[in-house]
Amino acid sequence: MKKYKMIRQSIPVLLLAFLSFSCIENNMDDNTPAFVKDGSLLHLLSKNADYSDFCKLLTQAGYDSILARGDRFTVWAPDNEALADVTFPSDRAELRKILGMHLMPSALYKSEMAGEHTLSLSGKMLKTTQSSSGDIRVNGIPVTQFDIRAVNGVIHRISGIIMPACNLEEAVASDPSLALFKEYMETNFTYVIDPEKNIKIGYDTLNNPIYQEPVVYSKQYNYLTDAALDDESQLSTLFVPTDHLLRKLVNDMVQAKGGPGRVVPALDDMHGDTLIAGRYFKAFMPYEGDTAALYNELFRHICVRGEYPSLDEQNRFTNVLGEECIIRASDVEGEPTQVSNGYYYKMKDLAVPDLFYRKPLMLLPLQKVPDPADPEKTINNPDILYVEGAKYSASVAKPNGACYTGKYSRFDFTKIGASIDFRFPFAVKGKYKVILSYFPENNAGVVSAFYGTLPLMRNLQMTGLFNSRLLRYVEKDLGTIEVETDGPVRIRFTCAGSSPAAANKYTFGVDYLMLRPVEETEWRK
């Protein structure tokens, strides 16, 4: 009875609370924004008959549930008229790619649109642009009505379909005139010493580490990582040489190096000591080949960050490696192609740095070389000339425990004043450092080096760096020469004295002689 009495007394209180709540609710309804009362994006689209076809497509693609939830989105909504003549794929995954281009996972209003770049739900870039007259487009499609707000985002009416565009990597790969570039992207790599698989046994005179041989290398595919041509969130401009231009550049390189016989092919890490076109390659020292080296330099320098839909006659850019590159408007072919993450230009010409044609030249001073007339036979090396009684002594192998240092050639000057000329058969005109790699024997002589009448280094003590514990070759920079014309280059070594450690011994141990190009400020075509 008591319990019933309490309930009866509570009824007026509950009625009063209900009436109060009803008044509050009515008051809130009067001040609530219309877009809140209209509900979600999906609800708002469904109420408008102009978007009935678009709503059906959203449901087929499975995006209807996304637009009904609380997350904020922007919807670029084509009306029925815009969809009238469009055929959509029956495959659901392909349909989602197209419909996803019309949805952004954030609310973007008209006041924020100019120059905005945002990823769509398809993972492709959506770019809004504003003309001088104020017209706004999204990926080139005109926006005809703005800021239709819903509780979970905003709708903008557009007059067409936003189709997924190729990114830079996809566009270049599908262009048949850029097949060599595509092949390069798929195969480009660089060799690097594997620090975990090598044993460090010392340092050379340039403080570079010396590893126990054979040296183990690993391949690193860096180009796509550096250029990020498939990154939809990174805007870039690419200057791609066509196949025709690449073949021209390679042909120029072949001619500049003295003909096809002097262009070094690719060598893998299984070759033995090799001499090709006057260039010496030690065992386990891989080289990608002159042609690949040219491509590598071209391709990794021609991607720049940002969008450049137009060019001045001369354009100075900073590439993805932080280096400067210069592109002329007259070197590009027509207008650029716009893709989802930038633009790309086809190059019909390209200024090539001088060093592309002037790779290091190495001379291995072997006494016997293959006979050009009969490769099965050998002849005395025509690129070694002896003066005043100098002569070849021996080919010497130098092991050092588990570390094999290779071979070098030993010469005997026989007397002070005798000379040996090492002749590079061909070099492209330009500046070069002359590098001597020699073996510092304990009974070596004292030599002076000359380029023609130009003294490079006088009185080089060949025993100065002798170390009986660490038997390694020594690289010595003898100075810089200017090669005035394409053709042979001769470096002379003259005996200037004998070693204090061994009287009347005039030994000269040479591993190789190198002409290392010095970068020119002037670029050649």
Side-chain angles (χ1 to χ4, degrees):
M1 188 73 178
K2 185 177 181 180
K3 182 177 180 181
Y4 172 75
K5 183 178 180 181
M6 291 177 63
I7 293 174
R8 187 176 60 181
Q9 291 174 347
S10 301
I11 289 176
V13 177
L14 292 173
L15 287 173
L16 179 62
F18 175 78
L19 290 173
S20 300
F21 178 78
S22 177
C23 292
I24 293 171
E25 184 180 32
N26 288 336
N27 184 57
M28 285 182 63
D29 188 69
D30 291 339
N31 295 281
T32 299
F35 70 86
V36 174
K37 292 188 291 182
D38 287 337
S40 69
L41 290 164
L42 181 65
H43 182 68
L44 194 59
L45 288 168
S46 301
K47 288 198 312 181
N48 191 328
D50 290 343
Y51 299 122
S52 59
D53 292 341
F54 183 55
C55 287
K56 291 177 184 178
L57 291 169
L58 290 172
T59 301
Q60 292 175 28
Y63 285 128
D64 53 334
S65 59
I66 291 177
L67 298 182
R69 67 193 192 196
D71 300 331
R72 293 175 69 77
F73 290 92
T74 296
V75 180
W76 307 96
D79 56 25
N80 293 344
E81 183 179 353
L83 296 173
D85 299 322
V86 181
T87 301
F88 290 90
S90 57
D91 181 76
R92 190 168 185 265
E94 293 301 315
L95 180 62
R96 284 182 64 85
K97 289 180 183 178
I98 298 174
L99 270 295
M101 293 295 297
H102 298 77
L103 308 175
M104 280 170 38
S106 61
L108 180 70
Y109 296 94
K110 181 180 181 181
S111 60
E112 307 167 317
M113 284 186 183
E116 188 67 21
H117 300 78
T118 312
L119 289 179
S120 69
L121 288 191
S122 291
K124 294 282 188 179
M125 187 78 74
L126 287 170
K127 294 178 281 189
T128 53
T129 56
Q130 185 171 7
S131 68
S132 57
S133 62
D135 295 333
I136 293 178
R137 293 172 178 260
V138 55
N139 281 25
I141 304 298
V143 184
T144 58
Q145 188 178 356
F146 300 88
D147 296 351
I148 307 169
R149 300 184 66 183
V151 71
N152 62 335
V154 61
I155 299 169
H156 308 291
R157 183 183 294 221
I158 59 177
S159 61
I161 304 300
I162 307 172
M163 298 298 293
C166 295
N167 59 38
L168 283 166
E169 183 178 346
E170 295 165 338
V172 169
S174 63
D175 192 324
S177 69
L178 307 176
L180 292 176
F181 184 84
K182 175 179 180 292
E183 180 182 351
Y184 166 83
M185 287 197 301
E186 294 173 346
T187 60
N188 175 53
F189 63 86
T190 55
Y191 281 106
V192 295
I193 292 178
D194 190 328
E196 297 181 358
K197 297 181 180 179
N198 288 281
I199 300 173
K200 192 181 300 180
I201 61 175
Y203 293 87
D204 62 18
T205 55
L206 299 176
N207 206 35
N208 296 315
I210 299 171
Y211 295 100
Q212 179 175 300
E213 297 182 23
V215 179
V216 180
Y217 293 84
S218 62
K219 295 178 181 180
Q220 289 190 347
Y221 293 81
N222 294 326
Y223 182 74
L224 290 181
T225 302
D226 292 338
L229 301 183
D230 59 344
D231 186 351
E232 294 286 352
S233 64
Q234 180 69 68
L235 295 174
S236 303
T237 299
L238 195 63
F239 301 96
V240 191
T242 62
D243 290 359
H244 176 76
L245 175 57
L246 286 175
R247 293 189 179 99
K248 173 185 177 296
L249 293 175
V250 170
N251 184 64
D252 290 347
M253 179 189 68
V254 170
Q255 294 182 18
K257 294 175 75 67
R262 301 194 181 281
V263 176
V264 181
L267 302 173
D268 61 27
D269 58 2
M270 299 304 293
H271 68 84
D273 290 357
T274 306
L275 183 67
I276 300 179
R279 195 191 251 178
Y280 175 50
F281 295 89
K282 287 187 175 181
F284 305 104
M285 295 288 287
Y287 182 68
E288 60 193 358
D290 284 354
T291 300
L294 174 65
Y295 285 1
N296 185 61
E297 288 296 318
L298 285 173
F299 292 152
R300 70 189 180 92
H301 283 75
I302 56 179
C303 180
V304 300
R305 295 297 181 229
E307 292 186 305
Y308 297 94
S310 62
L311 296 174
D312 297 327
E313 176 48 34
Q314 183 157 301
N315 305 266
R316 194 177 298 271
F317 298 113
T318 300
N319 61 38
V320 295
L321 300 181
E323 300 172 359
E324 187 179 86
C325 57
I326 298 175
I327 302 294
R328 299 183 308 182
S330 57
D331 290 340
V332 304
E333 190 177 277
E335 297 298 316
T337 300
Q338 185 175 15
V339 295
S340 63
N341 58 343
Y343 291 85
Y344 75 91
Y345 291 84
K346 292 184 182 181
M347 302 297 295
K348 62 183 180 182
D349 205 351
L350 195 62
V352 177
D354 177 71
L355 287 186
F356 283 161
Y357 299 120
R358 297 193 304 119
K359 296 298 181 182
L361 302 172
M362 299 181 72
L363 178 68
L364 179 66
L366 295 173
Q367 176 63 13
K368 294 290 185 179
V369 294
D371 184 348
D374 186 355
E376 299 298 323
K377 299 179 181 180
T378 60
I379 59 173
N380 287 332
N381 194 335
D383 297 320
I384 304 177
L385 306 174
Y386 303 99
V387 183
E388 294 292 331
K391 63 181 181 180
Y392 178 80
S393 177
S395 178
V396 184
K398 278 291 180 181
N400 182 27
C403 178
Y404 180 73
T405 61
K407 295 180 179 180
Y408 71 96
S409 294
R410 180 182 288 154
F411 299 89
D412 188 353
F413 285 111
T414 70
K415 62 182 179 181
I416 295 174
S419 299
I420 302 173
D421 288 4
F422 294 111
R423 184 176 71 101
F424 292 87
F426 185 88
V428 179
K429 65 180 180 180
K431 292 182 179 179
Y432 296 84
K433 283 186 178 295
V434 181
I435 307 296
L436 171 65
S437 176
Y438 67 95
F439 194 87
E441 295 186 286
N442 198 31
N443 62 344
V446 179
V447 301
S448 296
F450 300 85
Y451 171 54
T453 59
L454 173 69
L456 296 174
M457 180 169 288
R458 292 186 182 274
N459 301 324
L460 175 61
Q461 295 281 348
M462 305 300 291
T463 61
L465 295 173
F466 177 74
N467 187 320
S468 60
R469 183 182 60 83
L470 184 61
L471 301 178
R472 300 295 300 184
Y473 297 112
V474 177
E475 273 197 359
K476 188 69 175 178
D477 183 352
L478 302 181
T480 301
I481 64 173
E482 177 82 34
V483 177
E484 298 291 346
T485 59
D486 297 351
V489 170
R490 184 176 296 186
I491 306 296
R492 171 167 290 191
F493 292 91
T494 299
C495 181
S498 62
S499 167
N504 300 321
K505 294 292 184 181
Y506 308 107
T507 302
F508 183 31
V510 183
D511 178 25
Y512 60 80
L513 191 63
M514 178 195 295
L515 298 184
R516 182 178 293 163
V518 176
E519 187 169 3
E520 302 281 1
T521 56
E522 181 181 353
W523 285 23
R524 61 183 285 177
K525 281 300 207 179

